[in-house]
Amino acid sequence: MTDNAQPPHMVYAYAVLRPTPEAARAVAAVRGVADEQVGLVETGDLAAAVGPVPAEEFEENALRADLERLPRLAALARGHHGVVAALAPLGAVLPLRLATVYRDEDRVRQILQERRDQFLPLLERLAGHVEWGVKVYTDPGDPGDQADQADHSDSADQSDSGARDGAAASEAAGERALSPGRAYLAARVRRRRGAEEAWQAAARAAARIAEEAGSLAVGRVAHRPQRGELAKSAAGGEKAGGEQPGGAHAGGAKARGENIANDAYLVPAARAEDFRSRVLAAADGQPGVRVEVTGPWAPYSFSLPPEAAVRPEPA
């Protein structure tokens, strides 16, 4: 092997925490993203939970390609979250970003030393707190579904008409009197109007929920709403590991609709169940709206400020 040869392993970092005997015992009982034994790298009053991973799979180019494949991304996320979840009951834990990989343990120690003044205040702030996720969706089960049913009223059983909204039935009747082309355009306008009304209802609900949640939380992060395949994979309230320790829905459990709010809240652990029940109560009975409340999680959204987040680095 030459001096420039790539080592057979790199170091995957999961979280930053305090070095304690309890933490050492916890990591000894878990396996990581490559089914590797996880351990602690310590320096002074900080430690990182890490594991050796194959360099050929986790070097920069291979890792970038893996993160573009949803099944591989989901598998990495499950392994990452499994380690973090095993450590979370010990106290304050700072989960690192998915796919945080370093050349070796010496580089991990260097990062801990360089960012000690960032890590220690965060550990202090997050002690005794958990994260809850709140997502608000439009629910096509209300206005959208009614509009679709009215579009097909020519071929539908006439007995269904009594169950539809009177105004929608009247519009549909008017459309049947139009030429096929005009009826199609009128139906599209009605569907668009129904979607806009659903979005506005969900936005109003999101504002009410944010006000209620904010009265109980000590911090909030507004994430970008999820779209496309990411939204589908997250339907049902899954976090990184696919587990749902406290997932609950208001407005139905359908995995459809547009995600218009995707917020994380930092909540004192003692108020966790109060937070969950009050947010669900604020969302209850809102037509055209679906709300997911998930948690409690380790504080992923609050563990590092964006500018200080540890990124994967090349070997």
Side-chain angles (χ1 to χ4, degrees), residues 42-219:
E42 301 181 19
T43 175
D45 49 4
L46 286 173
V50 304
V53 293
E56 61 189 24
E57 297 179 25
F58 285 85
E59 60 86 22
E60 187 177 15
N61 292 332
L63 195 54
R64 183 182 296 114
D66 277 349
L67 295 178
E68 293 176 355
R69 295 162 41 215
L70 195 57
R72 175 59 172 158
L73 174 62
L76 280 173
R78 283 192 297 271
H80 184 98
H81 177 63
V83 175
V84 173
L87 296 172
L90 301 177
V93 173
L94 307 181
L96 297 178
R97 289 188 177 186
L98 184 68
T100 297
V101 183
Y102 294 105
R103 293 185 299 272
D104 51 38
E105 292 187 358
D106 286 341
R107 178 59 178 150
V108 176
R109 291 187 184 91
Q110 183 181 355
I111 289 293
L112 291 175
Q113 292 165 357
E114 290 176 352
R115 296 181 175 160
R116 180 177 181 276
D117 290 344
Q118 296 168 347
F119 291 144
L120 287 177
L122 280 168
L123 285 169
E124 187 71 23
R125 177 187 180 225
L126 298 179
H129 293 77
V130 294
E131 177 175 329
W132 283 86
V134 179
K135 296 179 183 178
V136 181
Y137 298 82
T138 61
D139 187 355
D142 285 307
D145 282 357
Q146 290 174 3
D148 288 341
Q149 290 169 5
D151 290 342
H152 300 290
S153 58
D154 267 339
S155 57
D157 192 325
Q158 293 301 312
S159 63
D160 290 342
S161 62
R164 297 193 187 100
D165 180 83
S170 177
E171 283 190 66
E175 288 164 15
R176 286 195 293 271
L178 300 174
S179 66
R182 289 186 176 182
Y184 170 76
L185 292 175
R188 287 196 61 180
V189 169
R190 182 160 42 78
R191 282 198 301 270
R192 187 179 301 113
R193 185 170 63 244
E196 290 172 353
E197 291 172 352
W199 195 95
Q200 291 169 1
R204 290 192 295 269
R208 286 192 295 271
I209 291 166
E211 182 177 1
E212 183 69 20
S215 68
L216 298 167
V218 299

Side-chain angles (χ1 to χ4, degrees), residues 14-17 80-96 122-123 126-133 221 223 239-241 243 245-246 264-267 269 272 294-304:
Y14 297 91
V16 174
L17 66 164
H80 184 98
H81 177 63
V83 175
V84 173
L87 296 172
L90 301 177
V93 173
L94 307 181
L96 297 178
L122 280 168
L123 285 169
L126 298 179
H129 293 77
V130 294
E131 177 175 329
W132 283 86
V221 172
H223 294 297
K239 194 74 171 176
E243 301 176 32
Y265 292 90
L266 186 65
V267 181
T294 59
W297 313 106
Y300 284 89
S301 301
F302 304 89
S303 61
L304 292 175

Side-chain angles (χ1 to χ4, degrees), residues 225-279:
Q226 294 177 329
R227 300 285 186 266
E229 289 301 314
L230 182 60
K232 292 178 184 178
S233 68
E238 296 186 0
K239 194 74 171 176
E243 301 176 32
Q244 302 177 41
H249 302 262
K254 299 179 181 178
R256 298 184 295 166
E258 181 183 359
N259 180 210
I260 68 163
N262 179 19
D263 296 340
Y265 292 90
L266 186 65
V267 181
R271 306 184 73 179
E273 287 306 316
D274 189 31
F275 176 89
R276 177 178 177 271
S277 61
R278 285 175 59 176
V279 168

